[in-house]
Protein backbone atom coordinates (compact mmCIF):
# COMPACT_ATOMS: atom_id res chain seq x y z
CA UNK A 1 0.00 0.00 0.00
CA UNK A 2 2.81 2.39 0.90
CA UNK A 3 4.65 1.64 -2.33
CA UNK A 4 1.56 2.32 -4.42
CA UNK A 5 0.90 5.58 -2.55
CA UNK A 6 4.53 6.59 -3.05
CA UNK A 7 4.32 5.98 -6.79
CA UNK A 8 1.02 7.88 -7.05
CA UNK A 9 2.48 10.85 -5.17
CA UNK A 10 5.67 10.75 -7.27
CA UNK A 11 3.67 10.73 -10.50
CA UNK A 12 1.45 13.61 -9.37
CA UNK A 13 4.40 15.75 -8.32
CA UNK A 14 6.29 15.09 -11.56
CA UNK A 15 3.14 16.07 -13.48
CA UNK A 16 2.90 19.23 -11.37
CA UNK A 17 6.52 20.05 -12.20
CA UNK A 18 5.76 19.54 -15.89
CA UNK A 19 2.87 22.03 -15.61
CA UNK A 20 5.20 24.46 -13.83
CA UNK A 21 7.76 24.15 -16.61
CA UNK A 22 5.04 24.86 -19.17
CA UNK A 23 4.02 28.00 -17.29
CA UNK A 24 7.68 28.99 -16.93
CA UNK A 25 8.16 28.72 -20.69
CA UNK A 26 4.83 30.24 -21.78
CA UNK A 27 4.11 32.76 -19.03
CA UNK A 28 2.94 35.99 -20.59
CA UNK A 29 4.70 38.23 -18.05
CA UNK A 30 7.73 38.24 -15.83
CA UNK A 31 5.82 37.72 -12.50
CA UNK A 32 4.16 34.63 -14.02
CA UNK A 33 7.55 33.11 -14.73
CA UNK A 34 8.75 34.05 -11.27
CA UNK A 35 5.72 32.37 -9.71
CA UNK A 36 6.34 29.27 -11.83
CA UNK A 37 9.95 29.15 -10.67
CA UNK A 38 8.87 29.51 -7.05
CA UNK A 39 6.39 26.64 -7.36
CA UNK A 40 9.00 24.58 -9.20
CA UNK A 41 11.43 24.71 -6.30
CA UNK A 42 8.71 23.87 -3.79
CA UNK A 43 7.77 20.84 -5.88
CA UNK A 44 11.41 19.84 -6.19
CA UNK A 45 11.63 19.80 -2.37
CA UNK A 46 8.70 17.39 -2.32
CA UNK A 47 10.43 15.26 -4.97
CA UNK A 48 13.64 15.10 -2.94
CA UNK A 49 11.75 14.12 0.22
CA UNK A 50 9.96 11.39 -1.72
CA UNK A 51 13.31 10.15 -3.04
CA UNK A 52 14.55 9.95 0.54
CA UNK A 53 11.43 7.95 1.47
CA UNK A 54 11.94 5.61 -1.49
CA UNK A 55 15.61 4.97 -0.78
CA UNK A 56 15.04 4.92 2.99
CA UNK A 57 17.86 7.36 3.78
CA UNK A 58 17.98 10.58 5.73
CA UNK A 59 20.79 12.30 3.85
CA UNK A 60 18.50 14.21 1.51
CA UNK A 61 16.89 16.44 4.13
CA UNK A 62 19.82 18.80 4.26
CA UNK A 63 19.54 19.19 0.50
CA UNK A 64 15.81 19.90 0.84
CA UNK A 65 16.42 22.51 3.55
CA UNK A 66 19.13 24.13 1.46
CA UNK A 67 16.85 24.29 -1.58
CA UNK A 68 14.06 25.81 0.55
CA UNK A 69 16.26 28.57 1.95
CA UNK A 70 18.06 29.40 -1.30
CA UNK A 71 14.81 29.38 -3.26
CA UNK A 72 13.19 31.80 -0.85
CA UNK A 73 16.19 34.11 -0.94
CA UNK A 74 16.32 33.98 -4.73
CA UNK A 75 12.63 34.75 -5.12
CA UNK A 76 12.91 37.62 -2.67
CA UNK A 77 15.94 39.01 -4.53
CA UNK A 78 14.21 38.92 -7.92
CA UNK A 79 11.06 40.48 -6.42
CA UNK A 80 13.11 43.27 -4.87
CA UNK A 81 14.89 43.81 -8.18
CA UNK A 82 11.62 44.05 -10.10
CA UNK A 83 9.99 46.24 -7.45
CA UNK A 84 12.70 48.74 -6.60
CA UNK A 85 15.31 48.30 -9.31
CA UNK A 86 17.83 47.39 -6.65
CA UNK A 87 18.29 44.45 -4.31
CA UNK A 88 19.99 46.02 -1.33
CA UNK A 89 19.44 49.72 -0.99
CA UNK B 1 0.72 -5.53 14.11
CA UNK B 2 -2.42 -3.44 13.95
CA UNK B 3 -0.37 -0.39 14.87
CA UNK B 4 1.80 -0.74 11.78
CA UNK B 5 -1.21 -1.28 9.54
CA UNK B 6 -2.81 1.91 10.88
CA UNK B 7 0.46 3.83 10.46
CA UNK B 8 0.79 2.55 6.91
CA UNK B 9 -2.75 3.68 6.12
CA UNK B 10 -2.10 7.14 7.56
CA UNK B 11 1.16 7.40 5.59
CA UNK B 12 -0.53 6.36 2.35
CA UNK B 13 -3.33 8.86 2.92
CA UNK B 14 -0.88 11.68 3.67
CA UNK B 15 1.23 10.89 0.60
CA UNK B 16 -1.72 10.73 -1.79
CA UNK B 17 -3.28 13.87 -0.28
CA UNK B 18 0.04 15.72 -0.60
CA UNK B 19 0.42 14.69 -4.22
CA UNK B 20 -3.15 15.70 -5.05
CA UNK B 21 -2.79 19.07 -3.32
CA UNK B 22 0.52 19.85 -5.04
CA UNK B 23 -0.86 18.84 -8.43
CA UNK B 24 -3.97 20.90 -7.78
CA UNK B 25 -1.92 24.00 -7.01
CA UNK B 26 0.10 23.63 -10.19
CA UNK B 27 -3.05 22.93 -12.20
CA UNK B 28 -4.57 26.13 -10.84
CA UNK B 29 -1.44 28.00 -11.82
CA UNK B 30 -1.72 26.58 -15.33
CA UNK B 31 -5.44 26.98 -15.89
CA UNK B 32 -6.53 30.24 -14.26
CA UNK B 33 -6.71 33.25 -16.50
CA UNK B 34 -5.04 36.04 -14.59
CA UNK B 35 -1.80 36.51 -12.67
CA UNK B 36 -3.64 37.47 -9.49
CA UNK B 37 -5.85 34.39 -9.79
CA UNK B 38 -2.86 32.23 -10.60
CA UNK B 39 -1.18 33.39 -7.42
CA UNK B 40 -3.79 31.54 -5.34
CA UNK B 41 -2.86 28.03 -6.45
CA UNK B 42 0.82 27.76 -5.50
CA UNK B 43 0.60 29.81 -2.32
CA UNK B 44 -2.11 27.64 -0.79
CA UNK B 45 -2.39 24.32 -2.59
CA UNK B 46 1.27 23.54 -3.13
CA UNK B 47 2.21 24.62 0.37
CA UNK B 48 -0.41 22.32 1.90
CA UNK B 49 0.70 19.49 -0.38
CA UNK B 50 4.33 19.74 0.60
CA UNK B 51 3.27 20.01 4.24
CA UNK B 52 1.46 16.68 3.90
CA UNK B 53 4.46 15.03 2.21
CA UNK B 54 6.89 16.26 4.86
CA UNK B 55 4.53 15.13 7.64
CA UNK B 56 4.40 11.68 6.04
CA UNK B 57 8.19 11.55 5.85
CA UNK B 58 8.50 12.60 9.49
CA UNK B 59 6.03 9.93 10.61
CA UNK B 60 7.74 7.24 8.52
CA UNK B 61 11.22 7.88 9.87
CA UNK B 62 9.94 8.28 13.41
CA UNK B 63 8.27 4.87 13.26
CA UNK B 64 10.89 2.90 11.33
CA UNK B 65 14.03 4.24 13.03
CA UNK B 66 12.47 4.40 16.50
CA UNK B 67 13.70 7.88 17.28
CA UNK B 68 11.97 11.22 17.09
CA UNK B 69 12.72 12.91 13.82
CA UNK B 70 12.21 16.65 13.55
CA UNK B 71 14.26 17.82 10.57
CA UNK B 72 11.18 17.72 8.33
CA UNK B 73 9.31 19.82 10.83
CA UNK B 74 12.01 22.45 10.33
CA UNK B 75 11.47 22.44 6.54
CA UNK B 76 7.68 22.50 7.00
CA UNK B 77 7.87 25.43 9.40
CA UNK B 78 10.21 27.32 7.10
CA UNK B 79 8.01 26.77 4.05
CA UNK B 80 4.84 27.70 5.92
CA UNK B 81 6.51 30.90 7.09
CA UNK B 82 7.96 31.89 3.73
CA UNK B 83 5.05 31.05 1.42
CA UNK B 84 2.83 34.01 2.50
CA UNK B 85 5.79 36.38 2.30
CA UNK B 86 6.57 35.18 -1.21
CA UNK B 87 2.94 35.52 -2.25
CA UNK B 88 2.77 39.05 -0.89
CA UNK B 89 5.95 40.10 -2.67
CA UNK B 90 4.82 38.49 -5.94
CA UNK B 91 1.46 40.29 -5.74
CA UNK B 92 3.25 43.59 -5.12
CA UNK B 93 5.54 42.88 -8.08
CA UNK B 94 2.58 42.14 -10.32
CA UNK B 95 0.81 45.33 -9.27
CA UNK B 96 3.96 47.33 -9.78
CA UNK B 97 4.61 45.93 -13.26
CA UNK B 98 1.03 46.53 -14.51
CA UNK B 99 0.28 42.88 -15.15
CA UNK B 100 -2.93 42.57 -17.12
CA UNK B 101 -6.15 42.30 -15.14
CA UNK B 102 -8.91 39.98 -16.11
CA UNK B 103 -12.26 41.77 -15.68
CA UNK B 104 -13.32 39.13 -13.19
CA UNK B 105 -10.42 39.76 -10.83
CA UNK B 106 -10.65 43.53 -10.81
CA UNK B 107 -11.08 45.09 -7.41
CA UNK B 108 -10.27 48.17 -5.44
CA UNK B 109 -6.83 48.51 -3.99
CA UNK B 110 -7.38 50.63 -0.91
CA UNK B 111 -4.36 49.58 1.05
CA UNK B 112 -1.68 50.26 -1.49
CA UNK B 113 0.23 53.45 -2.01
CA UNK B 114 0.51 54.99 -5.43
CA UNK B 115 3.94 53.57 -6.10
CA UNK B 116 2.73 50.06 -5.29
CA UNK B 117 0.27 50.02 -8.17
CA UNK B 118 2.66 51.81 -10.48
CA UNK B 119 0.85 55.15 -10.44
CA UNK B 120 3.49 57.15 -8.68
CA UNK B 121 7.22 57.33 -8.40
CA UNK B 122 9.02 54.85 -6.19
CA UNK B 123 10.20 56.69 -3.13
CA UNK B 124 13.93 56.38 -2.89
CA UNK B 125 15.69 56.69 0.42
CA UNK B 126 17.98 59.65 0.86
CA UNK B 127 21.58 59.05 -0.08
CA UNK B 128 23.48 57.73 2.90
CA UNK B 129 25.90 60.24 4.24
CA UNK B 130 29.03 59.19 5.96
CA UNK B 131 29.24 60.57 9.49
CA UNK B 132 32.90 61.49 9.21
CA UNK B 133 32.16 63.49 6.10
CA UNK B 134 29.37 65.48 7.73
CA UNK B 135 31.47 65.96 10.82
CA UNK B 136 34.34 67.27 8.72
CA UNK B 137 32.02 69.55 6.78
CA UNK B 138 30.55 70.90 9.98
CA UNK B 139 34.00 71.49 11.40
CA UNK B 140 35.08 73.36 8.28
CA UNK B 141 31.87 75.35 8.36
CA UNK B 142 32.57 76.25 11.99
CA UNK B 143 36.10 77.24 11.11
CA UNK B 144 34.86 79.47 8.30
CA UNK B 145 32.39 81.05 10.74
CA UNK B 146 35.28 81.76 13.09
CA UNK B 147 37.38 83.38 10.42
CA UNK B 148 34.61 85.47 8.91
Amino acid sequence: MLDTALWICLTLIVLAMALNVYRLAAGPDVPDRLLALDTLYVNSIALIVLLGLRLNTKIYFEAALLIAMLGFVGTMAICRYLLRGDIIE
Amino acid sequence: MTFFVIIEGVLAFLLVAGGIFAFNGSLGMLRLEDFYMRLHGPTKGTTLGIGCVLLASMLYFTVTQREFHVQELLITLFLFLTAPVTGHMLAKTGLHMHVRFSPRSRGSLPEFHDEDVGQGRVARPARARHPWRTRKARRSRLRQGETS
Side-chain angles (χ1 to χ4, degrees):
Chain A
M1 187 160 71
L2 203 56
D3 211 28
T4 315
L6 201 64
W7 277 112
I8 290 172
C9 190
L10 214 59
T11 312
L12 283 172
I13 284 181
V14 168
L15 279 176
M17 285 178 82
L19 299 185
N20 291 337
V21 168
Y22 174 75
R23 180 52 76 191
L24 182 65
D29 287 311
V30 178
D32 284 303
R33 295 173 203 266
L34 190 51
L35 179 63
L37 209 60
D38 190 72
T39 319
L40 194 64
Y41 91 77
V42 172
N43 281 331
S44 75
I45 293 169
L47 202 65
I48 282 179
V49 170
L50 286 178
L51 185 70
L53 269 179
R54 183 82 180 86
L55 299 179
N56 205 358
T57 60
K58 292 198 285 186
I59 53 175
Y60 290 104
F61 298 131
E62 283 82 7
L65 193 59
L66 208 63
I67 287 178
M69 300 180 77
L70 284 183
F72 172 67
V73 171
T75 309
M76 278 299 113
I78 300 175
C79 273
R80 290 289 293 177
Y81 178 68
L82 292 177
L83 266 175
R84 313 283 294 197
D86 211 348
I87 297 173
I88 301 170
E89 291 173 353
Chain B
M1 191 63 205
T2 340
F3 174 71
F4 286 108
V5 172
I6 291 173
I7 288 291
E8 195 178 349
V10 169
L11 278 179
F13 174 74
L14 278 177
L15 280 179
V16 173
I20 286 174
F21 273 122
F23 181 71
N24 219 347
S26 294
L27 193 67
M29 193 185 70
L30 185 77
R31 288 285 298 166
L32 291 176
E33 55 187 286
D34 191 0
F35 172 68
Y36 307 103
M37 291 188 197
R38 265 178 229 141
L39 203 55
H40 284 286
T43 50
K44 300 184 206 21
T46 307
T47 310
L48 188 57
I50 195 166
C52 285
V53 170
L54 287 166
L55 208 65
S57 171
M58 188 168 66
L59 194 61
Y60 176 78
F61 282 111
T62 302
V63 170
T64 54
Q65 312 222 337
R66 294 183 183 284
E67 59 184 11
F68 198 56
H69 210 244
V70 287
Q71 282 100 319
E72 289 90 348
L73 202 64
L74 207 65
I75 305 176
T76 313
L77 208 65
F78 187 77
L79 276 175
F80 274 52
L81 279 177
T82 56
V85 181
T86 310
H88 175 77
M89 288 297 280
L90 280 170
K92 279 187 83 166
T93 308
L95 285 171
H96 182 73
M97 294 189 73
H98 290 282
V99 176
R100 273 168 307 186
F101 274 98
S102 160
R104 279 195 280 171
S105 78
R106 187 180 292 275
S108 66
L109 308 164
E111 60 189 272
F112 291 107
H113 301 294
D114 279 347
E115 67 261 22
D116 288 337
V117 292
Q119 299 292 328
R121 287 183 61 222
V122 175
R124 291 224 163 257
R127 181 176 291 275
R129 291 196 295 186
H130 297 288
W132 59 269
R133 189 175 290 167
T134 60
R135 220 173 285 144
K136 204 157 66 179
R138 195 174 62 194
R139 210 178 294 139
S140 74
R141 230 182 296 129
L142 280 177
R143 208 173 296 131
Q144 281 177 0
E146 282 173 4
T147 54
S148 64

